[in-house]
Amino acid sequence: MEPVSEAQHRAATTGGMPEPERIRERLWSLPMPMPGGFLAYTLAVVHVDERGAVTIVDPGWGSDDALERLAGFLRSIGRGLADVRTVVVTHAHHDHIGLAPRLRDAAGSTVVLSAREQASIDAEASSSDFADLDGRAVAWGVAPEVAASLRERLNEANSGTAQPEPADVLVGDGDLLPVAGASWRALLTPGHTPGHLCIVDEERRILFSGDHVLPTVHPGLGLGSGFDGNPVDAYLRSLERLSPYDDVEVVPGHGYRFRGLGPRRRSAAEHALRRAREVAAVVAAEPGLSTWEVASRLTWTGGWERLADSVMLFSGLMQTDMYRDFVETGGLDRR
């Protein structure tokens, strides 16, 4: 991959948060603070049309600091929060959608989301994965005391983030987005979440990739309710869908702007398939293992012991289940 922004590349690889920078005329990349997270910031996108109407892609965390940072940047380019007409959200994670309701309240902004992601939000609200944690823990072979500790950690981790509010405009795959002064097309790319969107600016040859393809890390998969089929399979197919855009500039949700989408797509696919092959080998060697036992035999960043003693255990077990299903339903045979 070739970094387009040296400042963003330096920040992503050595630490810190870069300054806002212009991508094209009337189009900026704006790093937004992400408190207490694995990643330090979200890369929001700010577009201003010739009449001064502002569109923001993935405005970031719903905090006072984030709102003030956005307001300060808009002042620096001669605009204000009242000019934010449209907020486009690639997916419903708080570091991307969190500020959207506050912008709607402050400026009457229209919030745009994929219809598939909204359906996932609605399903999550009515039947959260966390609500069935006890049943899942039994099925996964998790000891009761570990499950109780995990529930406590999950409740604590999610106490400060509200369920996303319904979007104002829902779009489907291939739809043109209601963005003043730009021709942006929605591309449905499920995998990270059920209704994740990438956004294509064909005129300026830019892909806004959200969390689907990132330059420094690979996204978690299967995060959200109501997937149509296996999330690993969905993600691999979504990566293939991006092949017509291999030569465009990529503006991701985290990290830095880059070129070289083709190699990064293939790296992301190989990362997922490597995990699937690892799960397949464990299951083939010991077919009767529980999900907990399979997970304990896999390679994890920081090690299994550290994962098993953290809030990320829930995600790790979900991922193990998902990859096991992918393997057992012939996913590797289709690749």
Side-chain angles (χ1 to χ4, degrees):
M1 292 181 303
E2 175 191 354
V4 173
S5 166
E6 288 300 328
Q8 288 184 356
H9 178 261
R10 185 167 54 253
T13 54
T14 64
M17 188 164 70
E19 293 298 315
E21 58 185 31
R22 196 177 77 143
I23 304 172
R24 302 284 193 279
E25 184 179 2
R26 302 193 306 275
L27 186 68
W28 291 266
S29 177
L30 174 62
M32 297 291 284
M34 185 176 166
F38 166 62
L39 300 168
Y41 54 86
T42 302
L43 289 176
V45 171
V46 177
H47 175 268
V48 182
D49 80 349
E50 293 178 347
R51 297 185 179 182
V54 175
T55 295
I56 299 177
V57 179
D58 287 351
W61 206 267
S63 65
D64 292 341
D65 287 347
L67 186 65
E68 180 50 42
R69 179 172 175 81
L70 175 59
F73 172 74
L74 291 175
R75 287 194 297 270
S76 76
I77 61 171
R79 311 315 311 166
L81 291 176
D83 297 310
V84 180
R85 299 286 184 266
T86 310
V87 178
V88 180
V89 181
T90 60
H91 64 291
H93 288 165
H94 194 75
D95 56 318
H96 294 258
I97 199 174
L99 199 58
R102 299 189 67 172
L103 292 172
R104 180 162 52 194
D105 292 343
S109 309
T110 296
V111 178
V112 182
L113 190 67
S114 82
R116 187 67 194 79
E117 192 77 344
Q118 184 64 62
S120 176
I121 293 171
D122 296 342
E124 194 84 16
S126 62
S127 179
S128 170
D129 283 329
F130 300 155
D132 188 34
L133 177 58
D134 293 335
R136 285 175 177 268
V138 172
W140 288 338
V142 180
E145 62 275 16
V146 175
S149 174
L150 179 57
R151 175 176 289 285
E152 182 177 340
R153 291 180 179 187
L154 286 169
N155 288 336
E156 181 179 348
N158 288 278
S159 62
T161 57
Q163 188 76 11
E165 297 179 8
D168 303 299
V169 174
L170 301 179
V171 296
D173 185 40
D175 288 352
L176 283 174
L177 301 178
V179 176
S183 179
W184 289 357
R185 193 170 298 279
L187 187 65
L188 190 63
T189 50
H192 181 55
T193 67
H196 187 286
L197 284 181
C198 287
I199 301 163
V200 180
D201 185 331
E202 293 180 343
E203 179 181 347
R204 289 181 278 198
R205 304 296 291 164
I206 298 172
L207 177 76
F208 306 108
S209 68
D211 278 2
H212 185 57
V213 180
L214 300 169
T216 59
V217 297
H218 296 293
L221 305 182
L223 306 181
S225 296
F227 270 91
D228 297 325
N230 185 281
V232 180
D233 197 50
Y235 181 64
L236 293 171
R237 286 186 279 107
S238 294
L239 288 172
E240 293 169 357
R241 289 202 67 194
L242 295 186
S243 61
Y245 309 103
D246 280 352
D247 63 343
V248 308
E249 177 179 337
V250 181
V251 179
H254 303 279
Y256 56 87
R257 295 156 49 213
F258 68 93
R259 291 187 182 276
L261 177 61
R264 189 56 177 169
R265 284 193 306 105
R266 291 186 285 275
S267 172
E270 177 55 29
H271 176 81
L273 290 171
R274 189 182 309 119
R275 172 60 95 188
R277 289 191 290 268
E278 185 180 19
V279 170
V282 170
V283 171
E286 300 179 76
L289 294 178
S290 67
T291 298
W292 172 273
E293 291 168 327
V294 172
S296 72
R297 287 158 170 77
L298 301 178
T299 304
W300 300 96
T301 302
W304 165 248
E305 290 76 13
R306 183 176 177 183
L307 176 69
D309 192 35
S310 76
V311 71
M312 294 305 295
L313 174 61
F314 182 81
S315 177
L317 293 170
M318 288 274 289
Q319 300 276 314
T320 302
D321 235 9
M322 176 182 65
Y323 274 98
R324 187 174 193 167
D325 175 75
F326 176 74
V327 168
E328 292 178 346
T329 55
L332 284 172
D333 296 334
R334 295 191 293 271
R335 297 287 156 184

